[in-house]
Amino acid sequence: MKQLLTASVLALVTMVPVAALAGPIEAACNSSDRPGASRQLCRCIDAAADHTLTRSEQRRAARFFTNPDEAQSVRMSPTRADNEFWARYRNFGSLAEQMCATG
């Protein structure tokens, strides 16, 4: 019975699309129309996000891919929470540049 359960779980895991396992940043990056975006680059950027942002912050930052005006609003916000998030977001961007540089 245990072997049957293990086999069933393995079969299901292999059928799950890779995109379903992607983090919010990777998924947003992959679905963006940016010319330099590639699966490898998006995966790297997502790894940087995992090191610097909480899952909630990653979902918030992922929205910047489709709504850059939201990023500008957060950047210009006078609230402490937005300022603290923006500082972590900038750290994420710096780490992503370092980790994912292609040349």
Side-chain angles (χ1 to χ4, degrees), residues 1-9:
M1 180 69 174
K2 188 175 181 180
Q3 291 175 335
L4 179 60
L5 180 60
T6 302
S8 298
V9 169

Side-chain angles (χ1 to χ4, degrees), residues 18-81:
V18 174
L21 301 175
I25 298 287
E26 183 179 352
C29 178
N30 282 327
S31 65
S32 74
D33 59 355
R34 302 192 183 205
S38 69
R39 289 199 185 280
Q40 181 180 3
L41 179 60
C42 293
R43 199 171 12 254
C44 182
I45 293 169
D46 191 66
D50 286 340
H51 288 293
T52 54
L53 301 172
T54 66
R55 197 68 165 178
S56 173
E57 290 171 335
Q58 289 179 38
R59 286 190 300 271
R60 185 179 188 188
R63 291 193 302 263
F64 297 167
F65 281 84
T66 55
N67 186 3
D69 291 335
E70 185 174 346
Q72 180 66 10
S73 295
V74 172
R75 188 174 78 80
M76 301 303 292
S77 172
T79 69
R80 179 177 166 199

